[in-house]
Amino acid sequence: MTQLQNRPVVRREGINRRGSLEPRDPRSPRRSTAIALVLACATLITLDKTGGALDPARRLVGEVFGPAESAVSTVTRPVTSIPDWLRTRSGMKDDLAKLKSENAKLEQQVRTTAYDRNRLAEYDGLTKAAENIGYAVVPTHVVALGAAQSFHRTATIDAGSASGIKPDMTVVAAQGLVGRVLRVTSTTATVLLIVDGDSTVGGRASSSMKVGFVRGDGQLDGGSLELQLIDQNATPATGDTVVTWGSTKDAPYVSGVPIGQVTSVYSSVRDSSKTAAVQPYVDFGALDLVGVVVPSGTKSDRAIIDADGKLKP
């Protein structure tokens, strides 16, 4: 027993006789290894900052692993680029759809350019016409052409009593006289065209100031007018401009509106009277924007072009 008690006890590192863990020795190999690594890293950082001593080693690593990295990148590039390819394809579809939409809009603009240009020219012309004759006009659009009651050449416009329009008002276009208002509703009006066979307008030859009556021949497209002067001894001059001489209280026609141009003069064998053929300035086969002459200060549900050619709400 004495010998066994005196024998030195051999203990395993970190484990006591009872089998429980003991605190490690500060000088254990694991902590020593960590300290060595930290010192090595500090040394490498210092060398790299100071003199570039690691450049040969860095080049060597690059020469060894560079080709391999390039090969791996070449192999994996088709796979890694799939998401970008999908996003690019989707973006191309969106761009293509956008371009198609823009192209359709441009084509529409090209197709309607002439129409828009003509409408703008008509509006400008109507503005100048209002300024030339010295009357305010309500701009309207022709929405139908046809017959009404006993008249054969009429037009329907998209403005009526709500716009300040009444029967027996003068209707003009940018080029000249169109006709007079026959009847109205709240939103439309029927206009008797001067080319109707039953239409009679007081006209004046501008060069001689001689007055007479202008009648239509009933033809809408390519029709002509006839001017017969009251003074049968007067002869209208070819190329002369015929304008309205005006009515009492400007109804149904105001004065000074261009009607047409004298193209020829012929005499009647029966009564020795002279009649002038007049080509109207207005193309009745292409009526669109027209203006109804209204008194100054008329209340309207739309803008009115005043006698100064300015648009007033």
Side-chain angles (χ1 to χ4, degrees):
M1 289 292 295
T2 303
Q3 293 179 352
L4 292 174
Q5 292 176 352
N6 293 333
R7 180 180 296 178
V9 178
V10 179
R11 298 181 180 179
R12 295 182 181 179
E13 181 180 357
I15 302 177
N16 58 17
R17 288 173 57 184
R18 298 177 182 178
S20 60
L21 295 175
E22 289 185 349
R24 293 185 179 274
D25 189 347
R27 292 170 297 180
S28 62
R30 181 175 296 180
R31 177 164 294 187
S32 300
T33 302
I35 293 172
L37 289 173
V38 170
L39 292 175
C41 288
T43 302
L44 292 173
I45 291 172
T46 302
L47 291 175
D48 186 45
K49 291 290 185 181
T50 56
L54 297 180
D55 287 345
R58 188 180 291 111
R59 285 195 297 271
L60 179 61
V61 172
E63 291 175 356
V64 173
F65 292 102
E69 182 180 358
S70 178
V72 172
S73 176
T74 302
V75 173
T76 60
R77 187 177 296 113
V79 178
T80 58
S81 63
I82 289 177
D84 292 335
W85 181 81
L86 293 175
R87 285 194 296 270
T88 302
R89 185 174 178 82
S90 176
M92 289 177 64
K93 288 183 177 179
D94 294 339
D95 292 342
L96 183 60
K98 184 178 180 181
L99 288 173
K100 286 183 177 179
S101 176
E102 292 177 352
N103 187 53
K105 291 180 180 179
L106 289 174
E107 289 180 350
Q108 181 68 20
Q109 290 176 0
V110 169
R111 285 192 292 266
T112 60
T113 294
Y115 175 75
D116 294 337
R117 184 172 58 249
N118 289 335
R119 278 210 158 184
L120 181 60
E122 285 183 342
Y123 186 83
D124 290 341
L126 186 61
T127 300
K128 294 178 181 177
E131 188 175 1
N132 291 335
I133 65 177
Y135 291 94
V137 300
V138 176
T140 71
H141 284 98
V142 174
V143 294
L145 292 171
Q149 297 176 349
S150 60
F151 301 104
H152 297 89
R153 298 304 177 190
T154 61
T156 302
I157 56 177
D158 63 352
S161 59
S163 302
I165 297 174
K166 299 177 182 180
D168 284 337
M169 284 184 167
T170 308
V171 182
V172 299
Q175 299 81 10
L177 184 66
V178 172
R180 62 181 175 90
V181 177
L182 282 177
R183 63 179 183 272
V184 300
T185 66
S186 60
T187 57
T188 64
T190 301
V191 177
L192 176 66
L193 305 179
I194 60 172
V195 292
D196 186 88
D198 293 325
S199 171
T200 301
V201 182
R204 183 189 299 274
S206 59
S207 62
S208 64
M209 299 299 289
K210 296 292 184 177
V211 296
F213 297 97
V214 179
R215 296 179 174 86
D217 65 354
Q219 299 298 318
L220 183 65
D221 192 7
S224 63
L225 308 171
E226 292 183 348
L227 169 64
Q228 188 169 22
L229 298 179
I230 294 177
D231 185 358
Q232 296 184 359
N233 294 321
T235 302
T238 302
D240 201 0
T241 296
V242 179
V243 300
T244 57
W245 97 43
S247 307
T248 303
K249 296 182 180 180
D250 294 330
Y253 297 105
V254 298
S255 62
V257 181
I259 298 175
Q261 185 179 48
V262 175
T263 56
S264 62
V265 179
Y266 56 92
S267 300
S268 172
V269 177
R270 184 179 60 183
D271 55 12
S272 300
S273 63
K274 295 179 180 179
T275 303
V278 178
Q279 180 64 40
Y281 288 126
V282 174
D283 182 359
F284 291 93
L287 283 178
D288 181 27
L289 181 68
V290 298
V292 180
V293 178
V294 295
S296 178
T298 297
K299 294 183 179 180
S300 177
D301 61 354
R302 62 179 64 193
I304 296 178
I305 303 173
D306 65 13
D308 295 329
K310 297 179 180 178
L311 193 66
K312 290 186 176 180

